[in-house]
Amino acid sequence: MSRIGKSIIEIPANVTVTEKDGLVTVKGPKGELTQQLEEGITLKQEDGILTLDRPSESKQHKALHGLYRALINNMVQGTAEGWTKKLELVGVGYRASNQGNRLDLALGFSHGIVMDLPKEIVVETLSEKGKNPIITLTSFDKQLLGMVAAKIRSFRKPEPYKGKGVRFVGEIVRRKAGKSA
């Protein structure tokens, strides 16, 4: 039983959802997103409430039911409010700065890393004395935001001995003891 697929999606007043030939389009104040539905999954909209139905009780249809309900819910929330991810740079000399959508990172390599971010993502960097630099990524597209955050984290993943690297704010890094003398 797909419990996620059966739950409803409440549509805010400033968001519109349309479906044509299996292509769902969600428009809101933050932006516009589209998603192609799998054959058989149907969308019903009435009184600001959205529900998804599946054609059969097969395992494949149950899995797709929950998947598309979650994807469409993320699209509705993203276009209405937006999504935010924060990354923290832990390490001596690790720095981050941005000029528009160009992110410049110094992560202890012999060269700096310059990354051009997609136009859908807004980046902010915060560097306070005595604190780790923080990169804040904001977007209406949750999938794109997660991919970009994972790409930035992959430049220098947190290592288990000293905990240095790029990590999400609030992420707990499992530490190892190292050599005992």
Side-chain angles (χ1 to χ4, degrees):
M1 164 172 61
S2 173
R3 295 181 185 173
I4 293 174
K6 288 182 178 180
S7 54
I8 62 170
I9 301 170
E10 292 183 17
I11 303 171
N14 54 1
V15 175
T16 59
V17 179
T18 57
E19 188 224 351
K20 184 175 185 195
D21 299 329
L23 185 71
V24 178
T25 305
V26 180
K27 289 182 186 176
K30 300 272 185 186
E32 177 181 343
L33 294 169
T34 59
Q35 175 68 47
Q36 182 68 42
L37 288 179
E38 193 72 26
E39 193 71 33
I41 304 291
T42 57
L43 198 69
K44 282 197 287 188
Q45 183 177 356
E46 50 193 38
D47 299 332
I49 292 177
L50 203 63
T51 55
L52 277 84
D53 293 321
R54 60 179 181 252
S56 71
E57 294 295 315
S58 70
K59 197 169 190 177
Q60 179 71 17
H61 283 143
K62 286 181 182 181
L64 291 174
H65 189 207
L67 169 74
Y68 285 119
R69 189 264 173 207
L71 291 176
I72 292 171
N73 187 46
N74 289 343
M75 290 165 52
V76 168
Q77 279 187 309
T79 54
E81 301 152 25
W83 299 97
T84 301
K85 285 207 184 262
K86 291 187 177 191
L87 294 126
E88 180 180 23
L89 279 61
V90 179
V92 176
Y94 288 9
R95 292 186 309 276
S97 62
N98 70 305
Q99 295 83 31
N101 266 19
R102 178 172 280 203
L103 184 63
D104 190 14
L105 300 168
L107 298 176
F109 297 116
S110 61
H111 58 282
I113 298 170
V114 178
M115 184 176 180
D116 289 324
L117 300 176
K119 65 181 184 327
E120 293 91 359
I121 293 183
V122 178
V123 63
E124 285 181 35
T125 54
L126 177 68
S127 298
E128 292 182 16
K129 190 170 183 166
K131 293 186 179 178
N132 295 327
I134 293 185
I135 302 168
T136 305
L137 302 170
T138 309
S139 178
F140 58 89
D141 190 349
K142 189 175 184 180
Q143 292 177 358
L144 181 65
L145 184 68
M147 284 174 31
V148 170
K151 178 68 174 172
I152 294 170
R153 185 178 182 273
S154 73
F155 291 137
R156 180 75 87 171
K157 287 187 179 172
E159 53 96 17
Y161 296 102
K162 291 185 179 178
K164 292 167 54 171
V166 179
R167 65 173 83 159
F168 294 107
V169 170
E171 179 183 359
I172 297 169
V173 177
R174 179 181 258 173
R175 303 292 294 271
K176 291 184 178 178
K179 295 191 285 187
S180 54

